[in-house]
Amino acid sequence: MRGRAQGPAAGGRMEAGPARGAGRLRRTMGSPLQIALLLASFVLTAYAGARLLADDWLGVAVWFLGAALLHDLALLPLYSVADRVPRLAGRYVNHLRIPALFSLLLLLVWFPLITGPADRYAKVTGRPEGNNGYAMHWLWLTVALFAVSGIWLAARTAFERRHRRRVVQGRRRATKDRPPHSH
């Protein structure tokens, strides 16, 4: 550091070593609360993993590998292509994406019941085996989600048109109210 002046007089900043390092750590890791929550989630995940792998670790490993392969090789290309289709809707794309996302999540949650609940489920709930209308429930919820999204889009479009009309009328009034020499 010879030959180069440091400090406020030379236009440099004076920073203490530990404070500068703490700032870098905070930018990298986040706040102390975020770090504590992250560590707590790792501890909880390790506990759940130990409990899960205690009984059938090979089955869990095969399931995890199969799920990863299914997602990466089949589902990711499928929903990447499916995401290109709604882009034809232009700026209204989220009125298609959001109900489709919720519908897909509901399908994933109800998939075992749609395909037919297991015997143990039928015994616990008292409902008979087989598809008890879960597919129709999911379908009607999907229709309702898209209907609500369509109503929201119609209301939003009507509001925007009315607002635009008021702005245009306000401009016309402003030009009509001006004295003739300002035209």
Side-chain angles (χ1 to χ4, degrees):
M1 297 265 182
R2 282 184 286 164
R4 186 171 161 192
Q6 297 221 348
R13 293 186 317 198
M14 293 291 288
E15 292 184 18
R20 187 176 66 202
R24 183 179 303 142
L25 181 66
R26 187 176 192 130
R27 280 191 306 271
T28 304
M29 297 289 292
S31 72
L33 179 62
Q34 287 174 324
I35 295 170
L37 288 173
L38 186 62
L39 289 174
S41 70
F42 283 143
V43 168
L44 181 65
T45 302
Y47 172 74
R51 294 285 308 256
L52 182 67
L53 294 174
D55 294 335
D56 184 21
W57 66 271
L58 183 61
V60 172
V62 168
W63 177 85
F64 189 76
L65 182 66
L69 288 175
L70 175 70
H71 176 265
D72 291 348
L73 297 179
L75 295 179
L76 181 66
L78 183 67
Y79 60 72
S80 294
V81 168
D83 187 48
R84 302 258 185 236
V85 173
R87 291 186 186 195
L88 299 174
R91 61 182 249 199
Y92 304 117
V93 67
N94 287 335
H95 288 279
L96 294 174
R97 276 185 182 160
I98 292 172
L101 174 69
F102 282 124
S103 175
L104 179 64
L105 290 175
L106 288 172
L107 177 65
L108 290 175
V109 168
W110 283 352
F111 188 74
L113 298 174
I114 289 173
T115 57
D119 291 338
R120 65 175 186 222
Y121 182 81
K123 290 175 186 173
V124 170
T125 60
R127 296 186 80 170
E129 292 183 45
N131 189 340
N132 291 312
Y134 291 106
M136 288 305 294
H137 293 170
W138 170 76
L139 186 61
W140 281 114
L141 273 172
T142 299
V143 168
L145 286 169
F146 278 100
V148 166
S149 181
I151 291 168
W152 185 276
L153 174 62
R156 178 179 150 198
T157 305
F159 176 76
E160 287 174 355
R161 283 183 185 159
R162 190 172 65 208
H163 179 70
R164 236 182 285 131
R165 205 173 296 138
R166 284 182 184 170
V167 169
V168 169
Q169 287 175 353
R171 288 181 189 156
R172 287 181 186 157
R173 281 192 207 117
T175 55
K176 287 182 180 180
D177 293 341
R178 286 189 203 151
H181 67 289
S182 66
H183 286 282

